[in-house]
Amino acid sequence: MNQLEFSNTVISLQDKLFRIAKRLLVSSDEAQDACQEILSKLWEKRSDLDGLRSVEAYAITMTKNYCLDRLKLKEASNLRLVHSNYESASDNVQRTIEQQDQLDLIDAFLKTLPANQQLLFQLREVEGMEYDEIEKILDMKSTAIRVSLSRIRKQLREQLLKMNSYGIS
Amino acid sequence: MELVKIEALLEKYFEAETSLKEEAILKSFFSSDQVPAHLEMYRPMFAYAVAESKLKDQTPYRIRSKRRLSPFMKIAASITVVVSIGIFAREYQQKKQAEYAYQQTMAAMELIANQFDKAKQSIGYLEVYEDSKNKIFKK
């Protein structure tokens, strides 16, 4: 894979990899660092990329593993994931104020989920990927994925219902 | 899209049985302004996913072509360094030896020159001797 092909295939994945890293690492800065790291690694391995069936799945798996390692490292050194400069999910996207509360609620709820479920949500709901790709990346059976996803969606619905009926913000 | 169909899709959605296409239909329906009041509560779910998918990495990635030396090149480079140090050391030593030899030669030459000077003085005596001889034995 030469520089041009690399730019076309891998660099175009950058935003996606960034979103996935941000889902797991929470902070934008850390997600950016992770993203640069992953892209550098991919660049070094560019000669192996031609033989892959899906560069995208490979890159996402790499990002997942990298982020999980980072999280483990943090836990080991007792550093909790607290970011005072945390910016809520998508402040660069315009939305109305009443919507903001609801989106923040969803954000907060997703953070309580285990890493694998957060990833599942990200890959299916946000990135819109097919189940067979997600299976490979998360190394899960298709039934397990559907059960898990259904549970996440229903839990989200619960949260929104609660918010609607009690007006909790 | 008929409301009944949307409701059926939602049902399927919560069982995770919808396809990507059907999920796209839901997303676009809930971002429209035709959402009836009783379905309004689902709007944020889909709005959230859409908003999140627009996030972008603000730092552009530039390919750093830091070319790492191959192991062979590393060995070659270190051999070159060692050999050139060796050559310089040898040359330096040779230079020192030459300088020593030069000084030795100069000392020897000086010694010879001193001897010549002494010899020249003796020639002076010889001349006096010759004069006196001529005076005494007048030809």
Side-chain angles (χ1 to χ4, degrees):
Chain A
M1 191 175 273
N2 62 32
Q3 192 161 337
L4 187 75
E5 289 172 305
F6 185 82
S7 296
N8 289 341
T9 53
V10 181
I11 306 294
S12 61
L13 290 173
Q14 183 176 4
D15 288 333
K16 193 179 250 188
L17 299 182
F18 169 75
R19 288 192 293 266
I20 290 166
K22 190 169 185 304
R23 171 66 55 204
L24 291 174
L25 299 175
V26 181
S27 121
S28 287
D29 288 344
E30 278 199 66
Q32 275 170 1
D33 288 348
C35 207
Q36 297 283 324
E37 189 70 30
I38 299 293
L39 292 175
S40 295
K41 277 186 186 165
L42 285 167
W43 171 248
E44 278 162 31
K45 288 184 178 176
R46 65 189 175 281
S47 51
D48 307 338
L49 298 182
D50 289 323
L52 292 173
R53 220 181 45 74
S54 165
V55 176
E56 186 182 353
Y58 181 75
I60 293 176
T61 309
M62 226 165 122
T63 309
K64 175 194 97 174
N65 292 334
Y66 181 84
C67 292
L68 292 182
D69 281 350
R70 297 281 308 162
L71 288 174
K72 231 180 262 169
L73 215 72
K74 279 222 179 85
E75 244 159 58
S77 55
N78 274 328
L79 276 167
R80 298 303 301 153
L81 261 179
V82 179
H83 296 283
S84 48
N85 64 341
Y86 166 69
E87 307 147 36
S88 90
S90 27
D91 20 31
N92 40 4
V93 181
Q94 291 178 346
R95 4 151 143 138
T96 58
I97 294 165
E98 71 257 40
Q99 250 194 341
Q100 184 71 50
D101 286 347
Q102 294 171 313
L103 298 191
D104 285 348
L105 176 101
I106 294 175
D107 223 28
F109 164 72
L110 288 173
K111 285 201 183 67
T112 64
L113 295 176
N116 230 34
Q117 290 183 26
Q118 289 187 36
L119 257 178
L120 172 57
F121 178 89
Q122 182 73 18
L123 295 180
R124 181 68 185 187
E125 306 291 68
V126 181
E127 309 301 344
M129 291 175 75
E130 289 289 355
Y131 284 124
D132 56 346
E133 287 177 287
I134 301 176
E135 278 168 41
K136 264 176 246 132
I137 292 165
L138 296 184
D139 197 21
M140 280 169 81
K141 293 252 163 58
S142 88
T143 44
I145 285 183
R146 281 163 193 261
V147 168
S148 189
L149 188 63
S150 163
R151 197 177 297 145
I152 296 170
R153 284 172 177 173
K154 284 176 180 166
Q155 281 176 313
L156 254 177
R157 180 172 60 182
E158 285 296 303
Q159 297 288 322
L160 291 170
L161 262 176
K162 255 195 236 163
M163 188 182 175
N164 266 23
S165 49
Y166 301 124
I168 306 162
S169 56
Chain B
M1 179 75 50
E2 294 161 56
L3 218 54
V4 192
K5 266 189 186 169
I6 291 291
E7 278 165 356
L9 274 184
L10 261 180
E11 200 74 19
K12 269 175 84 184
Y13 174 79
F14 283 107
E15 298 306 321
E17 281 162 1
T18 39
S19 67
L20 280 180
K21 242 186 210 162
E22 291 169 324
E23 285 168 23
I25 293 171
L26 286 173
K27 273 182 193 170
S28 70
F29 173 79
F30 281 99
S31 64
S32 71
D33 43 13
Q34 309 158 20
V35 184
H38 73 287
L39 293 180
E40 186 62 36
M41 62 160 287
Y42 297 114
R43 192 201 280 271
M45 281 185 80
F46 297 96
Y48 181 84
V50 171
E52 283 289 299
S53 70
K54 287 178 183 150
L55 267 185
K56 282 193 164 44
D57 191 352
Q58 304 295 336
T59 44
Y61 180 74
R62 240 175 264 120
I63 293 167
R64 277 170 287 162
S65 49
K66 47 168 183 185
R67 230 176 245 159
R68 295 236 174 102
L69 287 176
S70 69
F72 175 74
M73 286 297 283
K74 279 179 193 161
I75 292 168
S78 42
I79 287 175
T80 313
V81 169
V82 168
V83 166
S84 43
I85 287 175
I87 289 172
F88 274 116
R90 245 177 81 129
E91 235 161 59
Y92 180 69
Q93 218 172 22
Q94 276 179 346
K95 210 171 135 186
K96 276 204 106 171
Q97 271 178 353
E99 219 173 79
Y100 181 71
Y102 171 76
Q103 254 152 26
Q104 289 284 311
T105 318
M106 284 304 278
M109 298 280 255
E110 223 159 291
L111 200 76
I112 292 170
N114 280 342
Q115 295 301 325
F116 267 119
D117 276 353
K118 270 189 203 161
K120 231 169 125 186
Q121 278 172 3
S122 307
I123 290 172
Y125 292 133
L126 270 178
E127 273 169 10
V128 173
Y129 175 76
E130 186 78 19
D131 279 357
S132 325
K133 192 191 86 181
N134 288 344
K135 275 178 197 165
I136 295 167
F137 306 103
K138 279 177 189 155
K139 277 177 192 169

